[in-house]
Amino acid sequence: SDGTVGANKNAIKIIGDNTDLYAQGYFSYDSKKSGGVTISHLRFGKKPIKSTYLIEEADFVACHKQSYVYQYDLLKGLKKGGTFLLNCRWSDDELEENLPASLKKYIADNEIKFYTMNATDIAAEIGLGNRINMIMQAAFFALAEVIPLQDAIKYLEEAIRSSYEKKGEAIVQMNNIAVQRGVESLVKIDVPASWSMATEQEMENSEKEVPDFIKNVLIPMSKQEGDTLPVSTFIGAEDGTFPMGTAAYEKRAIATNIPEWEMDTCIQCNQCSFVCPHAAIRPFLMNEEEVENAPVAFAGKKAIGKGFEGLSYRIQVSPLDCTGCGVCVDVCPAKEKALIMKPLEEQTEEQVPNWEYAMTLPVRDQIMSLNTVKGSQFSQPLLEFSGACAGCGETPYTKVLTQLFGDRMMIANATGCSSIWGASAPATPYCTNAQGKGPAWANSLFEDNAEYGYGMATAMKQIRSRLTDIMEEALTLDIPESHQEALKSWLEGKEDADASKAATEKILSLLQVELEDPKAKELLVEIADKKDFLIKKSMWIIGGDGWAYDIDYGGLDHVLASGENVNVLVYDTEIYSNTGGQSSKATPIGAVAKFASSGKRTKKKDLGLLFTNYGYVYVAQVSMGANQAQFLKAIKEAEKYDGPSIIIAYAPCISHGYKGGMGKSQSYAKEAVESGYWHLFRYNPELKDKGKNPFVLDSKKPTASFKDFLMEQVRYSSLLKEFPETAEELFAKAEVDATEKYEKYLEMSQ
Amino acid sequence: SDGTVGANKNAIKIIGDNTDLYAQGYFSYDSKKSGGVTISHLRFGKKPIKSTYLIEEADFVACHKQSYVYQYDLLKGLKKGGTFLLNCRWSDDELEENLPASLKKYIADNEIKFYTMNATDIAAEIGLGNRINMIMQAAFFALAEVIPLQDAIKYLEEAIRSSYEKKGEAIVQMNNIAVQRGVESLVKIDVPASWSMATEQEMENSEKEVPDFIKNVLIPMSKQEGDTLPVSTFIGAEDGTFPMGTAAYEKRAIATNIPEWEMDTCIQCNQCSFVCPHAAIRPFLMNEEEVENAPVAFAGKKAIGKGFEGLSYRIQVSPLDCTGCGVCVDVCPAKEKALIMKPLEEQTEEQVPNWEYAMTLPVRDQIMSLNTVKGSQFSQPLLEFSGACAGCGETPYTKVLTQLFGDRMMIANATGCSSIWGASAPATPYCTNAQGKGPAWANSLFEDNAEYGYGMATAMKQIRSRLTDIMEEALTLDIPESHQEALKSWLEGKEDADASKAATEKILSLLQVELEDPKAKELLVEIADKKDFLIKKSMWIIGGDGWAYDIDYGGLDHVLASGENVNVLVYDTEIYSNTGGQSSKATPIGAVAKFASSGKRTKKKDLGLLFTNYGYVYVAQVSMGANQAQFLKAIKEAEKYDGPSIIIAYAPCISHGYKGGMGKSQSYAKEAVESGYWHLFRYNPELKDKGKNPFVLDSKKPTASFKDFLMEQVRYSSLLKEFPETAEELFAKAEVDATEKYEKYLEMSQ
């Protein structure tokens, strides 16, 4: 049997279905949601294939991404005389200049047949965006010669029709063109003899000083060499604790185009930063000295607003961390957009020196209130560069949470997308601030996350209760005035974030003082032992709708009913996103999902309404794209409320199939509310105690078309194509449900 | 160390706490909720006790129940010269007459010191009802001489104060009197020499023909000899299936007093039968011939009502199956009660020949509609003689269910009281009718019962869907007219209980006919194979509040949200009854429970209201004691509704501590509604489809005092004793909650 690594996995189905060849495919993935690596190991042959291992010697290797030539040992195992296909935008000269020496040498030494193709530009040109798969697949058939090319083209066209017919004739035609172009656009490279002499140039600044964990664990794993790490690498990490902020070391460079800041048109609203799913675009403030020391290209403009006198304002992108989703451009409210997408290659100096300089600037988060959209963005996000899908609807919510509460936050995270973008080994985007404080994050199971978080909250409460006892006892002893004052101020302010921070600072400064009273001494040792719990914590229990509506609904209900002071954030993607799009009880009627392939028949469960029944649970339903300020208000109120709270956040997801793409995810989140598909409200038990109506409806009577909103999403439009009558019926029901829901909310708010 | 079997378990605590003796207690129970057997194995001694096994040789044996002398080998292992204390109502002569010969002979041969005491009458006399424990305990101390009697009395009185002070001074005094009487009332029996010659008289009719299972399994297990059964006894029962109706063979005779029917005052309403938790009192109808053949004492009166012309009516009690709770007497609405409690001993002919004759009468359930309280009781209960607590609030609900749907019912039962009274090996009260049809019952886990029942429903649906395919295919073949007609009538009526019963009868009668067409023949074989599923089934998922509100709430929600046609019945005892009274989310604010010993602080979860949110779930809240007809209406509607339904039933429980006892459980269930503590409603999605308000409030504005109702229950009154201020505050909150709930329901109903 033959070996081939890297070709698209559809190919194997076409060959298996249409020829008498035996076929086998192993696909090995990482768990990144965007720009992840997939290695397809395909075997074909006339004899049955019994290999139960990955391909070690290949006849054909294809690389779909130019930058991989630097990141991976691509040709390892490619046979002498084998074929290598590289998707790149390089001309012959650029190829000569940019290909690593080791690759050149391997090609020359092993008589590799080397082809390139600019599938990226072709895909963009014919309207496929960044979907290059069909083009690469056609090229594979043209080169691999497993079956006659004309047959392969016929099979591909059949496969295209069956896969994409539901999505419309235009998509079918685009893909047919992709096949044609894939076959025509191959460039055979004449390998110069000189390549066998190629030697690596001295690496310049890339050998920076990095922590041991990055050097010993993250870099090897990122190079797909994690399997070679010995157990001894993990000495010291036996309890499973991983260091934070490691995603920042990945610098994955997965974007094709990234936003360029247009200083002149920028109105300094910080919305681009607010909505960025990856924390890759942020505002910075500089004083005069910092302006003077800045790199030439690091220009700023006069900061506007109260308290910003004398400061310069700049929006800075981290090109290598940006996914190029374009959400920032979409939300930019400036009359003339202050962000324009530009090829990554043209933005190198934005990384070095600009981003690197920005990282040295002090965080100026005390000037403007964090309770405003603009103000919140001057706070450091403690979730940076997650591997979520480009344009993800979940991460912006969490990022803002970390900007408000991150330095004293504990997170229990359900299994799901958020556990993958939140911490899939070895990289975690959760990070710490300059004081070393950041969210403590952990994930137990899909089915017990609410209980897990409740356990954390209970443990925290017990430890703080013990701290209270200690302080009270210490105050009965003969201790200095300064100690008395510090302990008293903690006892008074321990349930308040700011007051407890101030008191904690006082206490920590006194822990070194030797006291005479042996009992007091002993008590201070115990305080020191528990010092991590002096500052009031912010407990968050986080997960998706599959978790909250289904799998752990019983636990969630139990924890919220308990009355304990925990905060729950639900990313409502209306589907099991991480496991591939299965229907959940959050899936609305009429939506197509796995287990509901002919449209879901039962209506969406009204999770928020259910929890308002308790009367003592804070409940909010939010949609960042529709109302950023309402979302901010909800998280502030929820966090402050001394009882259980839950926030249900509409989270656009790539699986919804928005026709405008995930670069418009915030716009779709807005349209969801304007069309009456989603509603905004807050139920605050504190209002009830004040004799007011606890239920506040924050969204207006719908003004946009409900049906139009559905039709912009493949999860709905595909039903209309396949089962038109059922679709019309279900969509009508869905609209009735949404209207009834709004009317109920309206009634409750009055 | 010494051995003693059968003494009360408090004794061991008193001895352990107050002397320098070592003490050990093993308590072995059966799982009956009423009249269960407990054997207390107590050891005391001056040396540490290291025995890890039950007592095999005892110095002292006490038997608290007269009838046990016939049921168990009581003196097995009692040492020569040991002491035997028997609680009985027998005089010396009666003792001579009634004691089994084997017991007499053992006493005489082994020089046993034999004492009797009539603790039953003493307890009744001093106001302790049937609680004889304290009396027997005092007698134990008087006889066993483990510690000086005066000390023992002092310790007992201290224990009484600490245990019962919460329940009031009267209870304390009653128990002190019990101690005094226990010591004074011992009767030393002079054992006649003749007893060593005693021989067993020929047993009369007791060796009746019984099924093998009863002989080989039930009887030995009931005699506490189950441990001696070899594995081979269970050959043929490897899949865990147990035969039905085995509880009827127990004839436990646990009542002290049972109701006697007063024919003259009876108004023939059948309410006594409707509410009986044990199906031990039932109405019978006789034609003239049956009247003639009846035993002399089996008198009847002219049956009243349309269709009953020419029939005689009689209420018959099964004395040996009655628990003597008195609920029937309490609910009897006759001006002069038509039921009067009488000592069990005086009612022997009610069992034989009366009850036995009643069992031979035909079931006359076709004359009056089963949808009425009276009519439903002429149907045979397929749940008879459960081992539930005397006066249980759960079993009457289920008994009525079996009278309406029992012959085609499948039950998935959650773990809890209902799994214990429903089927604890070897006895199950679920039984079959004369046609061999009865409920199929199974229990999986506490946490998955809703899913378990959903699985049953799904399997049933699949099998019936296959039956539909078979019939449709058969109709395309050359089959006789009679077959065509039968299959067509099944296809038309398969979703209707009565129509499917009629069609099934036709089909079954044709299965033996040899058909010519080989395919048709084959299809008929498959129908025969699946014949149990021809009749439309009634799927019930049953459990308590611990199950429905807490442990499997997530699963219950998922199953109801699925839209599947299943029926759920929740016994709401507002507490984990079976495991000892832990607080659940159904426990109201202010109630004392385990994990809420100072009163529950959060309010009762409104389970019914939550499920009305789906809009397509039938929901009802019922209380049999308050409105029998409303309960009947709810179960008929729920069962008929082609979708999910849930009925939440207020179930008085012995753990509530009703001051009037469980004999008044139905009255308390009435007061719960009259005081506004519990509300009756039905939410019927079918009404919505007809353009009507689906929510119907069935209970009126409360007329009785909420607080008074609380005060009649120890779970509330004990809080007032222990934490008066907290209690007042919580009770006020509870009343506000109840009022707000009523107002919400009222609003929904308008």
Side-chain angles (χ1 to χ4, degrees):
Chain A
S1 67
D2 300 324
T4 174
V5 173
N8 188 284
K9 68 178 155 169
N10 245 353
I12 199 144
K13 203 165 172 292
I14 286 172
I15 293 167
D17 288 350
N18 295 293
T19 72
D20 59 356
L21 294 177
Y22 291 91
Q24 183 205 55
Y26 277 134
F27 305 96
S28 98
Y29 309 91
D30 67 11
S31 57
K32 295 294 183 202
K33 296 286 181 180
S34 57
V37 175
T38 301
I39 306 174
S40 309
H41 295 257
L42 310 185
R43 290 183 174 97
F44 312 101
K46 293 191 173 159
K47 284 181 286 181
I49 300 167
K50 294 177 176 167
S51 314
T52 56
Y53 43 86
L54 300 178
I55 290 173
E56 285 157 7
E57 295 204 317
D59 294 289
F60 181 93
V61 168
C63 170
H64 290 209
K65 210 164 160 49
Q66 177 176 296
S67 62
Y68 286 178
V69 300
Y70 306 118
Q71 294 173 43
Y72 308 110
D73 186 1
L74 291 176
L75 301 186
K76 192 175 171 192
L78 181 59
K79 287 181 189 165
K80 198 164 183 123
T83 304
F84 174 44
L85 168 61
L86 174 66
N87 171 40
C88 67
R89 289 166 133 179
W90 287 320
S91 65
D92 280 8
D93 284 356
E94 286 168 336
L95 206 62
E96 180 63 48
E97 190 186 326
N98 288 306
L99 271 197
S102 60
L103 207 71
K104 287 181 186 163
K105 189 164 161 47
Y106 193 96
I107 290 171
D109 288 354
N110 293 282
E111 297 159 28
I112 301 300
K113 298 194 265 300
F114 180 28
Y115 294 84
T116 65
M117 162 136 79
N118 185 349
T120 308
D121 284 352
I122 297 171
E125 192 188 318
I126 64 182
L128 281 172
N130 49 19
R131 293 180 214 91
I132 60 166
N133 270 352
M134 194 55 70
I135 302 164
M136 292 299 285
Q137 206 172 148
F140 162 74
F141 279 110
L143 291 176
E145 297 173 350
V146 185
I147 48 177
L149 183 58
Q150 284 320 308
D151 292 354
I153 290 175
K154 193 183 77 184
Y155 301 145
L156 278 170
E157 287 178 352
E158 284 165 11
I160 285 167
R161 184 148 299 278
S162 106
S163 298
Y164 298 118
E165 194 152 34
K166 278 190 247 178
K167 300 192 175 178
E169 193 57 33
I171 307 272
V172 170
Q173 284 315 321
M174 257 184 232
N175 278 281
N176 285 343
I177 293 168
V179 169
Q180 210 50 50
R181 296 288 298 271
V183 171
E184 290 167 8
S185 311
L186 284 163
V187 179
K188 172 91 169 80
I189 305 295
D190 286 324
V191 178
S194 64
W195 280 15
S196 72
M197 307 300 194
T199 50
E200 226 60 73
Q201 285 182 305
E202 200 61 42
M203 298 290 262
E204 268 169 48
N205 63 8
S206 72
E207 288 293 327
K208 269 198 271 182
E209 195 68 17
V210 294
D212 283 353
F213 180 84
I214 301 303
K215 196 167 65 194
N216 302 332
V217 179
L218 184 126
I219 292 174
M221 284 181 76
S222 296
K223 281 186 173 168
Q224 303 290 319
E225 287 163 13
D227 286 350
T228 67
L229 293 178
V231 171
S232 59
T233 309
F234 297 91
I235 288 175
E238 294 86 350
D239 67 353
T241 308
F242 264 47
M244 300 185 72
T246 51
Y249 289 93
E250 293 187 302
K251 297 286 175 263
R252 300 193 299 140
I254 61 171
T256 304
N257 296 302
I258 67 160
E260 184 185 75
W261 183 48
E262 310 302 311
M263 188 165 74
D264 295 341
T265 51
C266 177
I267 59 169
Q268 304 187 25
C269 67
N270 286 357
Q271 287 192 46
C272 52
S273 171
F274 198 86
V275 300
C276 176
H278 312 280
I281 183 168
R282 306 185 199 167
F284 292 91
L285 295 165
M286 296 168 279
N287 62 23
E288 278 178 32
E289 189 190 340
E290 288 152 2
V291 171
E292 270 168 39
N293 295 338
V296 181
F298 199 85
K301 66 193 287 187
K302 193 166 170 297
I304 51 175
K306 208 181 140 208
F308 293 114
E309 296 80 7
L311 294 174
S312 271
Y313 176 95
R314 176 178 172 82
I315 288 288
Q316 180 61 49
V317 175
S318 175
L320 298 181
D321 294 312
C322 175
T323 65
C325 66
V327 169
C328 52
V329 180
D330 185 45
V331 303
C332 176
K335 208 191 278 178
E336 198 176 325
K337 292 276 180 196
L339 295 164
I340 297 174
M341 296 303 278
K342 293 280 174 70
L344 177 64
E345 293 85 350
E346 295 171 16
Q347 303 287 317
T348 49
E349 70 178 356
E350 293 300 331
Q351 194 73 40
V352 186
N354 286 1
W355 179 261
E356 291 202 347
Y357 182 70
M359 289 293 95
T360 67
L361 294 171
V363 174
R364 292 196 161 88
D365 57 5
Q366 302 293 320
I367 303 172
M368 192 172 177
S369 165
L370 298 191
N371 296 347
T372 61
V373 172
K374 178 171 177 178
S376 69
Q377 295 312 301
F378 292 117
S379 173
Q380 182 183 354
L382 298 177
L383 174 77
E384 55 181 18
F385 320 134
S386 82
C389 297
C392 176
E394 299 185 350
T395 46
Y397 290 114
T398 324
K399 190 198 59 187
V400 174
L401 277 190
T402 69
Q403 289 175 304
L404 266 61
F405 317 116
D407 62 348
R408 56 187 186 87
M409 194 173 185
M410 287 171 72
I411 302 176
N413 204 123
T415 303
C417 276
S418 57
S419 67
I420 304 304
W421 58 248
S424 63
T428 176
Y430 288 101
C431 60
T432 52
N433 63 15
Q435 290 76 48
K437 293 190 189 304
W441 185 99
N443 162 240
S444 171
L445 298 170
F446 206 166
E447 63 270 31
D448 74 357
N449 187 51
E451 296 91 322
Y452 187 53
Y454 180 74
M456 290 183 185
T458 307
M460 183 160 74
K461 200 168 149 181
Q462 285 303 112
I463 296 168
R464 299 190 93 225
S465 157
R466 173 65 192 148
L467 276 169
T468 305
D469 292 347
I470 296 170
M471 306 248 189
E472 282 169 352
E473 188 179 353
L475 284 172
T476 67
L477 305 173
D478 184 20
I479 55 171
E481 187 89 6
S482 56
H483 283 65
Q484 288 195 27
E485 196 201 313
L487 301 191
K488 275 183 197 158
S489 68
W490 186 84
L491 286 170
E492 275 161 28
K494 69 191 165 77
E495 298 305 328
D496 178 82
D498 291 336
S500 71
K501 277 183 191 172
T504 299
E505 211 167 313
K506 281 188 209 163
I507 291 174
L508 293 180
S509 72
L510 295 172
L511 285 179
Q512 304 307 323
V513 180
E514 278 283 320
L515 294 185
E516 274 175 40
D517 184 310
K519 183 65 194 172
K521 216 165 141 179
E522 192 189 313
L523 292 173
L524 253 61
V525 168
E526 198 177 340
I527 292 176
D529 178 52
K530 296 179 167 55
K531 69 179 177 349
D532 284 350
F533 295 89
L534 286 169
I535 293 176
K536 167 80 175 160
K537 293 283 176 291
S538 186
M539 182 68 225
W540 288 84
I541 296 171
I542 291 180
D545 52 282
W547 163 70
Y549 285 70
D550 288 2
I551 304 276
D552 191 30
Y553 174 55
L556 180 60
D557 176 71
H558 208 68
V559 170
L560 292 180
S562 75
E564 189 57 75
N565 185 5
V566 297
N567 308 289
V568 176
L569 174 63
V570 180
Y571 307 111
D572 196 344
T573 64
E574 307 195 316
I575 212 167
Y576 285 76
S577 299
N578 188 48
T579 48
Q582 290 78 12
S583 162
S584 81
K585 290 205 285 299
T587 307
I589 200 165
V592 171
K594 285 180 186 156
F595 303 147
S597 55
S598 57
K600 184 152 171 274
R601 301 301 162 116
T602 49
K603 69 181 187 179
K604 183 182 174 86
K605 170 172 166 180
D606 195 346
L607 188 69
L609 186 67
L610 292 177
F611 284 121
T612 62
N613 266 316
Y614 281 108
Y616 54 85
V617 178
Y618 180 96
V619 183
Q621 208 166 272
V622 306
S623 175
M624 181 185 281
N627 193 334
Q628 296 170 353
Q630 189 257 1
F631 159 65
L632 256 188
K633 198 183 267 185
I635 59 174
K636 284 297 288 187
E637 286 177 351
E639 209 276 336
K640 191 169 146 281
Y641 176 58
D642 186 19
S645 57
I646 179 168
I647 296 168
I648 304 161
Y650 184 74
C653 174
I654 195 164
S655 66
H656 295 173
Y658 294 107
K659 296 204 172 147
M662 288 300 284
K664 301 228 174 295
S665 59
Q666 295 289 321
S667 291
Y668 285 112
K670 188 178 181 192
E671 206 178 324
V673 173
E674 288 174 346
S675 65
Y677 181 93
W678 185 264
H679 311 284
L680 310 181
F681 66 77
R682 286 168 297 128
Y683 178 96
N684 190 349
E686 286 181 347
L687 292 177
K688 200 180 167 196
D689 298 341
K690 290 178 192 158
K692 293 183 190 164
N693 185 346
F695 188 90
V696 178
L697 182 59
D698 288 321
S699 53
K700 299 215 179 69
K701 198 172 156 67
T703 53
S705 157
F706 185 86
K707 180 82 182 293
D708 286 355
F709 180 61
L710 298 191
M711 288 309 98
E712 284 188 77
Q713 302 172 60
V714 172
R715 59 174 168 158
Y716 291 105
S717 61
S718 63
L719 188 68
L720 192 64
K721 259 207 161 46
E722 224 172 342
F723 309 103
E725 278 177 40
T726 315
E728 290 296 358
E729 187 193 321
L730 295 180
F731 295 165
K733 274 194 190 169
E735 189 161 359
V736 168
D737 282 348
T739 308
E740 283 182 357
K741 207 184 269 189
Y742 179 77
E743 277 162 9
K744 185 158 201 173
Y745 294 156
L746 192 63
E747 200 186 311
M748 288 173 72
S749 72
Q750 283 163 348
Chain B
S1 67
D2 301 323
T4 174
V5 174
N8 189 285
K9 68 177 155 171
N10 246 353
I12 197 145
K13 201 165 173 294
I14 286 172
I15 294 167
D17 287 351
N18 295 292
T19 72
D20 58 358
L21 295 177
Y22 290 91
Q24 183 204 56
Y26 278 133
F27 306 95
S28 99
Y29 310 91
D30 68 9
S31 56
K32 296 292 184 205
K33 295 287 181 181
S34 58
V37 175
T38 301
I39 307 174
S40 308
H41 296 257
L42 310 184
R43 290 183 174 97
F44 312 100
K46 293 190 173 160
K47 286 181 285 180
I49 301 167
K50 293 178 176 167
S51 315
T52 56
Y53 42 86
L54 300 178
I55 290 172
E56 285 156 9
E57 296 204 317
D59 294 289
F60 181 95
V61 168
C63 170
H64 290 209
K65 207 162 163 51
Q66 178 176 296
S67 62
Y68 286 177
V69 299
Y70 305 118
Q71 296 174 41
Y72 309 110
D73 185 2
L74 291 175
L75 301 186
K76 192 177 171 189
L78 181 60
K79 287 180 189 165
K80 201 164 182 125
T83 304
F84 174 45
L85 168 62
L86 174 66
N87 171 40
C88 66
R89 290 165 132 181
W90 290 320
S91 65
D92 279 8
D93 284 355
E94 288 167 335
L95 207 59
E96 180 62 47
E97 191 187 325
N98 288 306
L99 271 197
S102 60
L103 208 70
K104 288 180 185 164
K105 189 164 159 47
Y106 193 99
I107 291 172
D109 290 354
N110 293 283
E111 298 159 28
I112 300 300
K113 298 193 267 297
F114 181 28
Y115 295 84
T116 64
M117 161 138 79
N118 185 348
T120 308
D121 284 351
I122 298 172
E125 191 188 319
I126 63 181
L128 280 172
N130 50 18
R131 292 180 215 92
I132 61 166
N133 269 353
M134 194 54 70
I135 301 165
M136 292 298 285
Q137 204 171 149
F140 161 76
F141 279 111
L143 291 175
E145 297 175 348
V146 185
I147 49 178
L149 184 57
Q150 284 320 306
D151 291 354
I153 291 174
K154 194 184 76 185
Y155 301 146
L156 277 169
E157 288 179 352
E158 285 166 10
I160 286 167
R161 183 148 300 279
S162 105
S163 299
Y164 298 120
E165 193 151 35
K166 278 189 247 178
K167 302 192 175 180
E169 193 57 28
I171 306 273
V172 170
Q173 284 315 319
M174 257 183 233
N175 278 281
N176 285 341
I177 293 167
V179 169
Q180 210 51 48
R181 296 288 296 271
V183 171
E184 291 165 8
S185 311
L186 284 164
V187 179
K188 173 91 170 79
I189 305 296
D190 286 323
V191 178
S194 65
W195 280 16
S196 72
M197 307 300 194
T199 50
E200 226 60 74
Q201 287 185 302
E202 201 59 42
M203 298 289 263
E204 267 169 48
N205 64 8
S206 73
E207 287 293 327
K208 268 198 271 182
E209 195 68 15
V210 294
D212 283 352
F213 180 84
I214 301 302
K215 196 167 64 193
N216 302 332
V217 180
L218 185 125
I219 292 174
M221 284 180 76
S222 296
K223 281 186 173 171
Q224 303 290 320
E225 288 163 13
D227 287 348
T228 67
L229 294 177
V231 171
S232 58
T233 309
F234 296 91
I235 286 174
E238 294 85 348
D239 67 352
T241 307
F242 263 47
M244 299 185 74
T246 50
Y249 290 92
E250 293 187 302
K251 298 285 176 263
R252 300 193 299 141
I254 61 171
T256 305
N257 297 303
I258 67 160
E260 185 185 76
W261 182 49
E262 309 301 311
M263 190 166 72
D264 296 340
T265 50
C266 177
I267 59 169
Q268 305 186 25
C269 68
N270 286 357
Q271 286 193 46
C272 52
S273 171
F274 197 87
V275 302
C276 176
H278 312 280
I281 183 167
R282 307 184 198 167
F284 293 90
L285 294 166
M286 295 169 280
N287 61 24
E288 279 178 32
E289 190 190 338
E290 288 152 3
V291 170
E292 270 168 39
N293 296 336
V296 180
F298 199 84
K301 64 192 292 186
K302 191 168 172 294
I304 50 174
K306 210 182 137 205
F308 293 114
E309 294 79 9
L311 294 175
S312 271
Y313 175 97
R314 176 178 172 81
I315 288 288
Q316 181 60 50
V317 175
S318 175
L320 298 182
D321 295 312
C322 175
T323 65
C325 66
V327 168
C328 53
V329 180
D330 185 45
V331 303
C332 176
K335 210 189 273 175
E336 199 176 324
K337 292 276 179 195
L339 295 164
I340 297 172
M341 296 303 279
K342 294 279 175 72
L344 177 62
E345 293 84 351
E346 296 171 15
Q347 303 286 316
T348 50
E349 69 178 357
E350 294 299 333
Q351 193 74 41
V352 185
N354 287 1
W355 179 261
E356 291 202 346
Y357 181 69
M359 288 293 94
T360 68
L361 294 171
V363 174
R364 293 197 161 86
D365 56 4
Q366 302 293 321
I367 304 172
M368 192 172 178
S369 165
L370 299 191
N371 296 347
T372 60
V373 172
K374 178 172 177 178
S376 68
Q377 294 313 298
F378 292 117
S379 172
Q380 182 183 355
L382 298 177
L383 174 77
E384 54 181 19
F385 321 134
S386 81
C389 296
C392 176
E394 299 185 350
T395 47
Y397 290 114
T398 324
K399 190 197 58 185
V400 175
L401 276 190
T402 69
Q403 289 175 303
L404 267 62
F405 318 115
D407 62 349
R408 56 186 185 88
M409 195 174 183
M410 288 171 72
I411 302 176
N413 204 122
T415 303
C417 277
S418 56
S419 67
I420 304 304
W421 58 248
S424 62
T428 175
Y430 288 102
C431 59
T432 53
N433 63 16
Q435 292 75 48
K437 294 191 188 301
W441 186 98
N443 161 241
S444 170
L445 297 170
F446 207 166
E447 64 270 31
D448 73 358
N449 187 52
E451 295 92 321
Y452 188 51
Y454 179 74
M456 289 184 186
T458 306
M460 184 161 71
K461 201 169 150 182
Q462 285 304 112
I463 295 168
R464 299 190 94 226
S465 157
R466 173 64 192 148
L467 276 169
T468 305
D469 292 347
I470 295 170
M471 307 248 189
E472 282 170 351
E473 188 178 351
L475 283 172
T476 66
L477 304 173
D478 183 21
I479 56 171
E481 187 88 5
S482 57
H483 283 66
Q484 288 193 28
E485 196 201 314
L487 302 191
K488 273 182 198 160
S489 68
W490 187 84
L491 286 170
E492 273 161 28
K494 68 191 166 75
E495 298 305 329
D496 179 82
D498 291 336
S500 70
K501 276 183 192 174
T504 299
E505 212 167 310
K506 282 188 210 164
I507 290 174
L508 293 181
S509 72
L510 295 172
L511 287 180
Q512 305 307 323
V513 180
E514 277 282 321
L515 293 185
E516 276 176 38
D517 185 309
K519 183 65 194 173
K521 215 165 142 179
E522 191 189 314
L523 292 173
L524 252 61
V525 169
E526 197 175 341
I527 291 176
D529 178 54
K530 296 179 167 58
K531 69 179 179 344
D532 284 351
F533 296 89
L534 286 168
I535 293 175
K536 167 81 175 160
K537 294 281 176 292
S538 186
M539 182 68 226
W540 289 84
I541 296 170
I542 291 180
D545 53 281
W547 163 70
Y549 285 70
D550 288 3
I551 303 278
D552 191 29
Y553 173 55
L556 179 60
D557 175 71
H558 207 68
V559 170
L560 292 180
S562 76
E564 190 56 74
N565 184 4
V566 297
N567 309 288
V568 176
L569 175 63
V570 180
Y571 309 110
D572 196 345
T573 64
E574 308 195 316
I575 210 166
Y576 285 76
S577 298
N578 189 47
T579 48
Q582 291 78 14
S583 161
S584 80
K585 290 203 285 297
T587 307
I589 199 165
V592 172
K594 284 180 186 157
F595 303 147
S597 54
S598 58
K600 184 150 171 276
R601 301 302 162 116
T602 50
K603 68 180 187 180
K604 182 182 174 84
K605 170 172 165 177
D606 195 344
L607 189 68
L609 186 67
L610 292 177
F611 284 122
T612 62
N613 266 317
Y614 280 108
Y616 54 86
V617 178
Y618 180 96
V619 184
Q621 208 166 272
V622 305
S623 175
M624 181 185 281
N627 192 336
Q628 295 170 353
Q630 189 257 1
F631 158 65
L632 257 187
K633 197 183 269 185
I635 59 173
K636 286 295 290 186
E637 287 177 349
E639 210 276 336
K640 192 169 146 279
Y641 176 58
D642 185 20
S645 58
I646 179 168
I647 296 167
I648 304 160
Y650 185 73
C653 174
I654 195 164
S655 67
H656 296 173
Y658 294 107
K659 295 201 174 150
M662 286 301 282
K664 300 227 175 295
S665 58
Q666 294 289 320
S667 292
Y668 286 113
K670 188 177 182 191
E671 207 177 322
V673 173
E674 288 174 347
S675 66
Y677 182 91
W678 185 264
H679 311 284
L680 310 181
F681 66 78
R682 287 168 297 128
Y683 178 96
N684 189 348
E686 286 181 347
L687 293 177
K688 201 181 166 195
D689 298 341
K690 291 177 192 158
K692 294 181 189 165
N693 185 344
F695 189 90
V696 178
L697 182 59
D698 288 320
S699 54
K700 300 214 177 71
K701 197 171 156 68
T703 53
S705 157
F706 184 88
K707 180 82 183 291
D708 286 356
F709 179 61
L710 298 192
M711 287 310 98
E712 285 188 77
Q713 303 171 61
V714 172
R715 58 174 168 156
Y716 292 106
S717 61
S718 63
L719 187 68
L720 193 63
K721 259 204 162 46
E722 224 173 340
F723 308 102
E725 278 178 39
T726 314
E728 291 295 358
E729 187 194 321
L730 294 181
F731 296 166
K733 273 193 190 168
E735 189 161 0
V736 168
D737 282 349
T739 308
E740 283 182 357
K741 209 185 268 188
Y742 179 77
E743 279 162 7
K744 185 158 202 174
Y745 294 156
L746 191 64
E747 200 187 309
M748 285 172 74
S749 73
Q750 283 164 348

